[in-house]
Amino acid sequence: MIQPVANGLRTDHPVPGLPFINDERLLLDNPDAIERTGRNQGEGLWGRTDRLRGGGWVAFTTETKNRDYAWAVHQHPEYGRTVLLIRDRDMSSLHHDWMYGGNGFLYRHGGYWWDGACWYRPQQIVDRAYEGHEARAVVSAVTVTAIDVLARPATSHTPQVAKIADFTASEKPLPHWREHLALWASHRKPGSRPLDQCVVDLQAPELDPASFVDRAGLAQIAELELEDLPHPKYGRKDLPPPQIETDGGPRWSRPVARDWAEQYHRTHGPKKLLSATTTFGTDQPRGLVDDHNRLTKIIADSLQDAEDRKKNRLITRGSSTNHEELAAHLAWWPAVAINDGTDGFIPLTSVRTTIVEAVLGGLARDAENTDASKNVFLGDILGDVVRLIDWYILREPQLAPALFGEICLDARTRFGFDPKDVGDLLRRSLNLDSAIDRQTLNALLDLALPPSAQSPQER
């Protein structure tokens, strides 16, 4: 997560707990000038500005007087201006979020975001049919404005506006922040955005710190052993964004933990679901195990035949080597080679492309016969194509979400079909012709189909 380190004094939406920095050097009505402050002005300096698709703009620049930091400005055509000081290394990440992230422009509590109309939880659930993440609204969310914070009792603390030249970011939020906000409010110019429209924070039942879970609680929600959970010290990027940091480690809201658990099982579930145990006692994709067992039998039968006919002098009647054990070892690498998508006997990437195009070919016929005034009915996927889908996902189970997501995405962008209709088609066709048992197949589809391709009861 990108953590801003300070608010610009002329921001409309202050981040709680952060100091205010004098931003008078920034020409906030001229994004090109903000860009020129740092762009190509010397080694390690950079700047950028872009127009937003819905109106407004973003602008960034390295702070020339303190190069560890950069200014980030978001100008919304309706909701005003956000001015943040961030670490210089975070400039490109925040630029991407504001331009392409589809996750609003104000972020609080470890990734909770606001788009001007609604608050949403941190984006974690991937929906490949839309090439993005599913937006999940916060239940009973209340937007806290500057006027709300200033209504709280005052303290005797005397705040100050910091200067950028000697600024150093603090790891902890400022105490008595209400007084810092009051100082910010005293600097507002006539015509500035009204204080009751300056968004400061979010309140919701799920953001009560008393209900947050620690690492053990996250493991319980995800139904994982604690030792199987990524450790914050080494795998922080693989954990959900924490809502708070404590001396005992990160803490998460329960809905964020549940979203993470859902995505974790969507990512890792297909591989676990479609695995089997080899003769060596290791877990591998079921298709690889099936190939190995089949080759083992073929080679074992060949060795037996060779011994019986005394044609293979490498194997003598006095040998203590078990034929099945030897055959298992001899068959392993041929089985691996068959399933190796990089340099194997079968080009798995080409198989995937063939599957996608075969399914889309059927959908193209349906698109030609679809009357916009009637309900969409998509004809079943051909049995041979379903069997090829079986073959592929049994050997690359971890790629099942990407395969189904690509089918739903292309069906939506090429033909305008709703992912839900395409998901119903995949579910119906595989249940008709797949050789995978029904229970396993339905569990796989629950994990691998994009959220938008499933009925609410299937999510």
Side-chain angles (χ1 to χ4, degrees), residues 336-351:
V336 170
I338 290 174
N339 289 272
D340 183 0
T342 304
D343 191 26
F345 294 116
I346 300 171
L348 294 180
T349 302
S350 300
V351 170

Side-chain angles (χ1 to χ4, degrees), residues 2-191:
I2 301 164
Q3 298 290 349
V5 297
N7 296 295
L9 189 58
R10 290 176 289 171
T11 188
D12 288 329
H13 305 296
V15 178
L18 296 185
F20 289 90
I21 299 274
N22 189 340
D23 59 11
E24 63 182 5
R25 294 177 59 248
L26 294 176
L27 298 178
L28 294 181
D29 294 325
N30 189 336
D32 295 320
I34 296 174
E35 177 189 54
R36 286 195 300 270
T37 302
R39 189 177 183 91
N40 298 327
Q41 297 301 309
E43 185 176 356
L45 299 177
W46 192 244
R48 174 157 186 161
T49 184
D50 289 281
R51 305 292 167 176
L52 295 169
R53 283 173 289 182
W57 48 266
V58 298
F60 300 82
T61 182
T62 305
E63 172 48 63
T64 57
K65 290 187 175 182
N66 197 337
R67 297 187 180 190
D68 289 337
Y69 304 106
W71 289 104
V73 183
H74 185 289
Q75 181 66 50
H76 194 283
E78 181 178 356
Y79 297 110
R81 173 191 298 147
T82 303
V83 185
L84 297 174
L85 189 71
I86 61 175
R87 299 186 189 279
D88 190 62
R89 63 174 181 264
D90 291 334
M91 200 186 325
S92 61
S93 297
L94 184 55
H95 174 269
H96 179 273
D97 280 355
W98 276 349
M99 289 294 298
Y100 312 111
N103 59 348
F105 59 96
L106 293 187
Y107 312 112
R108 302 290 188 266
H109 300 281
Y112 280 77
W113 54 278
W114 187 67
D115 64 358
C118 186
W119 284 98
Y120 299 90
R121 297 200 296 274
Q123 291 187 325
Q124 298 187 90
I125 309 300
V126 177
D127 192 329
R128 289 182 172 87
Y130 284 89
E131 293 185 294
H133 294 79
E134 187 174 48
R136 296 191 168 180
V138 180
V139 177
S140 302
V142 175
T143 300
V144 178
T145 67
I147 205 73
D148 298 324
V149 177
L150 292 172
R152 299 169 187 170
T155 71
S156 59
H157 179 73
T158 302
Q160 290 183 335
V161 175
K163 295 181 179 180
I164 189 60
D166 56 358
F167 175 78
T168 301
S170 173
E171 295 297 326
K172 296 183 178 180
L174 287 176
H176 307 286
W177 191 75
R178 184 255 181 224
E179 312 317 318
H180 289 267
L181 187 68
L183 179 62
W184 162 82
S186 71
H187 283 81
R188 302 288 284 170
K189 303 292 185 183

Side-chain angles (χ1 to χ4, degrees), residues 308-417:
D308 291 346
R309 296 171 181 245
K310 297 182 180 181
K311 291 180 179 179
N312 189 343
R313 299 185 181 274
L314 295 177
I315 306 296
T316 65
R317 290 187 182 275
S319 172
S320 61
T321 303
N322 179 279
H323 290 162
E324 286 73 22
E325 180 182 353
L326 179 60
H329 286 279
L330 290 173
W332 176 248
W333 290 114
V336 170
I338 290 174
N339 289 272
D340 183 0
T342 304
D343 191 26
F345 294 116
I346 300 171
L348 294 180
T349 302
S350 300
V351 170
R352 171 176 164 169
T353 300
T354 301
I355 291 171
V356 173
E357 292 301 318
V359 175
L360 292 176
L363 292 176
R365 292 190 293 273
D366 293 329
E368 293 175 355
N369 300 323
T370 296
D371 185 343
S373 64
K374 299 179 180 178
N375 292 330
V376 174
F377 179 80
L378 304 180
D380 293 337
I381 299 171
L382 294 175
D384 283 341
V385 177
V386 172
R387 283 188 283 276
L388 193 57
I389 293 174
D390 271 3
W391 187 93
Y392 180 83
I393 63 178
L394 284 171
R395 284 153 182 81
E396 297 285 353
Q398 72 277 10
L399 296 182
L403 172 66
F404 295 147
E406 184 176 350
I407 290 171
C408 292
L409 170 64
D410 285 355
R412 180 177 65 83
T413 56
R414 290 195 198 181
F415 310 122
F417 288 146

